Every structure is written in structure tokens, then in C-alpha cells.
Amino acid sequence: MAEQELVTIEINGIELQVPKGEMIIESAKRIGVDIPFFCYHPRLGKEQAANCRMCLVEAGTKQPDGSVRMMPKPQTSCTLPASQGLVVFTDTVAIQKARRGILEFLLINHPLDCPICDRGGECPLQNNTLFYGPGVSRFVEEKRHLPKAFPISDYVVLDRERCIHCARCTRFSQEISGDAQLEFLKRGADTMVSTFQNTEFTSRFSGNTIELCPVGALTSRVYRFRARPWDMKSQKSICTRCSNGCNIWLDYRPNRLVRVLGRENEAVNEEWTCDRGKFGHEYISSDRRLLSPLVRRDNRFVTASWVEVYQLIASRIRQAVEERGAGAVGAIGGAHLSNEEAYLLQKLMRVAVGTNNIDHRLERNQVAGGDTLLARLGVPFTQTAIADIEKAKTIFIFGADLVDEQPIVFLRARKAWFRFGAKVIIAHPEPTETELRFDEPLVLRYRAGTETTLINGLSHLILQSGRAVTDGISLEELQASLSEYTPARVAQETGVAEDALREAANLLGEGTVILCAGRVRNHPEYAVLANALVNLTLLTGNGSRGNGGLNILLPEVNSHGAADMGVLPDLLPGYVPVNDREARERIERIWKASLPAEPGLSTQGMLEAAAEGKLQVLYVIGEDIAQKYHDPELAQRALENAGFVIVQDLFLTDTAQYADVVLPAASVAEKEGTFTNTERRVQRFWKAMNPPSPDVKPDLNIFAELAVYLGKPLPVFSAEQVMEEIGQVFPAYAECCYDQMPAEGVRWMPTLTDRGK
Amino acid sequence: MITQVAKRFVKTVLPLAQGLSITFRHQPPFHEPITVEYPEQKRPMYPRTRWRHVLRRYDNGLERCIGCSLCAGACPARCIYVEAAENTDEHRFSPGERYARRYEINMLRCIFCGYCQEACPTGAIVLRDDYELADYHRSDFIYTKEMLLEPIPEPQEE
């Protein structure tokens, strides 16, 4: 970024230097001068609305002779840019009077039903009135009356009486989420916020408008009347609903989660949350949670003690190992576990059971030896940091409905386009919601199944154009393999017009961020497609430098962490191949145990073996494979035919119905640990509540105790201690020790090859 | 000798009689008793006395409490627990949108400061003159909403 020109301004007699053009309301923050406001919000839009008039200041400019020439009227400090010699007064008698007047006006039409308003206690209008407002109102007439508690969606309630028309919600929906569903109707005293013809407010980010609203006009239907701010406690946590790793606050009353708020992290979610994250944590306080271990007896589940189930599990595992060898035991799961738990799970399987049959992947991208990206780009899944997406020149959304699959990555991508003018290419076989959120993006509507052809066609065009960057590629080989993908042929096969292909190829270049999600991960020929995508990335010069790069975004909260921790059949923690003797021996020395050298079975392999009755014990942790596996029928057959099925989960899922033993696990609010999000950022979450019953245990404890019953104790006292051990085994995690971890988390850097960024 | 005895008598017995006379003056039949036979008889309390809480109703029988939890916020002993819910037309408890589904006071913790009464925006929670709060079990000191609510007033005929 270029050096910004600094100007000298004066606020309340204090001289300071600020970047030219910075709004005075922000400059005042630098020296701790408080300016009240309602509509100003640093993240909203390119410009502020300046319609609440609360942030008025008196301003003037210094003349060459040293005198100050004041502007005739107060100025809104949220739209007053800093310029050389600007003199600002924020607390004069005139300003105090103006603030009192503004607040008296706002309160004329505000119902003052604070005792029953969900915003009461944390309401900017209450606070500003207390500090800057008049004590009494001169307005004794009847106030305006409008519909109260009008639900505009399943999540949001609108109270039009309380609205002060600050336009925060409308600006959010137009400029940040891009769905533009909220707008002002009518003018003057009749102004009201509304959706188009009172249709449902279906935005995927509607929850943010609740947090933005400076009064109680938009409130949550889920949180409605559940608690007041002073009734609850808050704990820092990480959202578990997708791999983006949004920082959230869990607000809870004694043993009941009441709401989720966005927590600021500039590197990940800024301060936004999607609706799935904001309203999707109700499961934590569900009445249907498992409360004690269950054992199947006479085809019925009966409650059992932990000692009983541990003994049963240990005896069945020992029996299987004795009869058929350790390969007859397998574990599936880990993408919903914390890093520490995933690490301990694979250690349990490898050390205490002695098998490499362990995998967390439920999709088709179960490639052996890690990912193609790891081999060729040096990163496991993603090259670009979420925050760096906004610096992209071109954003290529390939086969993903980003709004739905990766909401927070979508917000960054949209910010890159809306704020910084990035070009957007969207390739998807069907019309998606994401396309509607950008103005006229370049859409490549290819036929499903021709993904590889499309990518190779684009690579071919870039190679032909002579712009291709060819470091680290065997050019001749690539030219030969791409030569058959002529634009004409690609256009014919994929159904994308040749002009569109050429236009897209022209836009792709240095600074291109490629964003892929579920469609790529689930591609039948994932390895071939990933290879083609890596070729395209390298040819556009995004292999190792700049802000561009290839990103195959992940499905679950800790998919990345599970892979890092070696919940993979052929890789130990830190992507160490199990058959690499030297590296394996290093880990053996740390663990003081010998490890199996043969790669184990992937999820697909385990399920196939189980379906044929070859797997004696199947341990499923936190995954509903009967529903969510990409081939659910195979998973169901496997569960039916496996000798002994252990399911560890929060609920009695469809998978648990097949189980012989069900272990109740603690939810994210009831334990501590770290998650690694899709951009490799390791972030901590803390324990908020106690589990719903004393028989519900964190997964970490279950693994540690099971190891004791299996005769190979893995002494564990806390998640922190496990993280220290992870740092020894996988040095990239060494910075993630709890006492060192910075607030925004640690984005670990691969040092596997010098090509990694 | 006799005078000496008389002098001594006067010196010792007279003050005794004097003192006892005050005692007898405050005894029936000369004076009404000051103590009361407590369980059978009770003293009237002062009007602003602060004892057991009562949740009041409006004359039409609706609860005054709107479940706003301001009493819980004001309580220095943190002894009030409020859980609010929304009124519907079929199940209406209070006039507005909101009512208290659960309202509990832990009487063991309460210090009878009356801040809750002061904080209440609708005059729902008041401290009245029922001071007989002893009980046998700790759990019995959690006063629930049902225990605290006034009975529905009889419709007055006039």
C-alpha cells in the first residue's frame, strides 16, 4: 500500500496527524475523544449515510494568519474528511444543545418500551440518551403507533415504532451481503424499513442486521425474550457450522445457550456471522442430547455406566485384534473434533490399537498421499488467506455456490468486488444465488461433468496468449497435454461460448484467487481436476507469490485440522507419510511407541471392508455417516455388517441407530480446544457451560480413558498439554501453544517445500 | 438501736419498693401488656415495612409483571431469576407482549433491601408485611411465581 499523506488537524485543542481524508469521527477515536453516533459504522459501505445527525461537531480551518475561520453550521463528523489545518470542537455548548435536540427528536417517535425490548441494556439509544440526552421530553402528545413485533422472517422481528431510520440495516443488505432486501419505504414521518412488498427477509446474513440495529427495531426471533444482557455470561468461541472459523460469542444463562453474537477478528469474519452460525447453535441446548452411554441389549438401547462401556469396547477391540489383526479395527471421524481431540484419536488408533485405519473424509476427494495441492503447491488445501481475498484482482468462483457453502469467504469476495473493484468470474453448471450478488459477473455455464475440460481449456488459452508464467512447470509436457483442448473443442464440449472462454482467460492472471468448494471436492475424478486447477494456478503466476492462489475450501469446522493432525490412513500428524521410515521414527521417539508402517484404509476402504464383514470394530466419532457419506447406501450397509459399531456423538443420529455402543460427547460450548479453519488459521475456543449431564464427557477425556482400558495409557490432563505435544510432533503448530496464541489465531505456514507461501 | 434498724430498713427496702413500684405500675391491672402472645397475636406492621415479596395484578386479573428482569439486574444479592416468554391471544398473562414464565426468588439470599421494588417499571413486585418466612428445607426457600402472585381479585359489584 502506498504511503498515505498525513495532515495535521486539531481536535478540542489537541493537535494530531492523521491520514488525509480520514473521517473526523475516526480521528477522534485515536485520541479517545468520544463522539456519539447511531448510523455511522466503519465497515458499512464506501461512504457513511450521515442521517442520524448525532455525531455533529463544530469545525473550522486555520487561516494563514493563524485565526480560525469556523464553518457556519455544525458538521457531521462521520462525513467530514480530515484536511490540513482543520480545527474541530466536539464538546461546545452549541454541540451539547444540538445533541440534546437530536435525541429529543428521536425519542418523540420512540415508544420507550425498554423494559420489554430485547435491546434494553445494550442499546446505543439508551446509552446516548443517558450521556448526552435531555432528562425529560416536552412531547406530551400521543406517539405514533405502528405494528409491533412484526416477523419479517423466521429469524428477524421488526418493530417499526422503535426504528430511528439510521439506514444501517438497509446499507448492510445492499453493500455487504448484497441481497438488497431491506429498503426504506415512504418519506418523512412515514418512513419505514421494509422488505419488497413485505415478502420474507430471506437473506443468509440477516442476523447481522440485528446486531447492527442501534435500537430494538430489528430483533432476533430465536433470542426473543430469552434473557436480558445482565442475565447472561459470554464466552469466546468459534462457530462450528462450516470451515470458515468465524469468531463468535456464546451468550448463555445457567446451562442454556441463549444466543450467538459475532466476535471481531479482522483476519476471518471481520465482525459478521452468517445465519447458519448465528441461529444454528440451538443444538447445544437441545433436549434431545444424549445424557449417558447407551448399550444395545436385546435390540434395545439401555443406559450403562462408563466403566461398563469402556470394558465392553476394550474387550471387543482386543478380541478383533487377536482374531484378525489390528486391521480389523477402523475409525471414521475427526472433522468435528478439535485439533487436540483429533490428534489424540489418531494416536489412540495408532498406538493403542495399532492400525492406520483412520480417516475423517466423507467426500470423494480421498486421494492417497495427501492432496495434489500439497505435492505441487506446498499447501494442503488453500493458498490465500481469507483477508487477502479482498486484494485479489480477479476472483474465479469455480463450481461453488459460495453464499451457501462458504458464507464468510463469500463476504470477502464480494467486498473485493464492491470496494476494491475485483473482476468476478463464476463457473457453475446451474444458476446460483452467488451470481445474483455481483453485478453482471462473467458466468461460464458449463455442462456438469466437463469441469476438467473447462479448466484445461482456460490453461490452453493462457498458454497460447504468451502471458503464461512457467516457473516450476515442465512446459513441453504441459503443452503436449493441453494441446488437444482447443477453444473450439472446449466450447463445444462444455457448452460455454468461445468468446466467454477467451474473456475469462484474459481476466485470469496474476492476483487471481480461485475459490472451489463441494463440487470440486466431490468430483468423481478429483485428482485429475485438482491437477488441472494447479496447472491453471501455476500458469497464471499464482504458484507462490502475490495474493492469488488456488483454494479448495473445506466442508467441516475442523476438516483442515483433522488432516493436519494425521486423521488420515497414510499420513501421520504434519503430513508425514506413514511409510517414510525416518520421519516415522522421529514421531515414534516422541510417542515412545512403535507405529504401523503400512498405510491403512480410507473411509471408502473401511466402509467397503465393513460391508463385506471384514471390519470387526467400526468406531464413528461425530459423523452421521449413514446420512452424510457421499454414498449413504454403502455407509448403511457397512454399519449393518460391521461386527461391532461404536458411535460417539451428541445425539442419537441415524448412524447411532446401527450402533452397539453409543457414547455421549460434549458440545463445543462444553469443552476447550482449537480448530483450524480452511485458511489454516488455528483458533482457540473456551469452555462456557457444563455438559447437560455429568455423564457427558469431552471427546478428549473419552479417548484418553479408552486408551487406559486398552492397556496403553496416553496420559492427558488438559487440551493445552496436548497442544504442546502437537507442537513437538508437527513444528508448524509450535506457535499455537495456548499462552502464546494471539487473539486472531495463528495461521500456520507450511515449510514442507520452498514453494509454499 | 431501734432508730438504727429503722434507718437501715428505710435505706434498703424503700428503694426496693420504689423500684418495684415502677415494675408493678407496668403490670396488669395498672397497665396494658407491651409484649404480645406472638403466634396467637400479631403486631400490626408499619405501612412501608419490607418483608415477603408479592407479585401484584391489575384489577382485571392480568399480571403486572412483564418479565423484564430489571429486578434481577437491580438485586444486590442476585437472588431473583426471571425467564420471560411471549403472550399470545390464547394465553395472555400480562397486557403487553411479554410476561414472566418463571419468576423465582431465593429467600435465603434476599436481604430485603427493596431495590427490586424500586426498579420495577410496572409496580409488579412489592415487599409486603408477611414476615413469617421460616421453613424446614433449603429448597422451600425458592419462592416460585405461583407462590408470589396475588390471588385474582374478586370482581367487585357496585
Side-chain angles (χ1 to χ4, degrees), chain A residues 230-241:
Chain A
W230 55 85
D231 284 336
M232 53 200 184
K233 287 183 174 174
S234 298
Q235 183 58 281
K236 290 184 266 185
S237 193
I238 302 292
C239 176
T240 55
R241 296 310 301 261

Side-chain angles (χ1 to χ4, degrees), chain A residues 113 115-116 118 148-149 159 162 224-225 228 230-231 253-254, chain B residues 66 68-70 73 78 81-86 97-98 121:
Chain A
D113 54 355
I116 62 156
D118 270 338
K148 287 190 83 72
D159 188 318
R162 294 181 191 149
R224 190 166 168 79
F225 298 163
R228 311 305 307 272
W230 55 85
D231 284 336
R253 297 187 77 169
Chain B
I66 51 172
C68 71
S69 211
L70 281 168
R78 294 303 237 158
Y81 179 83
V82 185
E83 225 176 76
E86 192 158 7
E97 295 164 47
R98 182 170 176 148

Side-chain angles (χ1 to χ4, degrees), chain A residues 33-38 53-57 77 89-106 128 131-134:
Chain A
V33 169
D34 190 26
I35 299 179
F37 58 85
F38 293 112
R53 317 310 286 179
M54 193 62 205
C55 64
L56 291 175
V57 292
S77 61
F89 298 98
T90 68
D91 208 21
T92 60
V93 175
I95 291 299
Q96 285 171 0
K97 196 178 166 201
R99 285 175 185 161
R100 275 201 301 278
I102 297 290
L103 279 167
E104 198 175 350
F105 269 129
L106 287 178
N128 283 342
F131 290 117
Y132 304 102

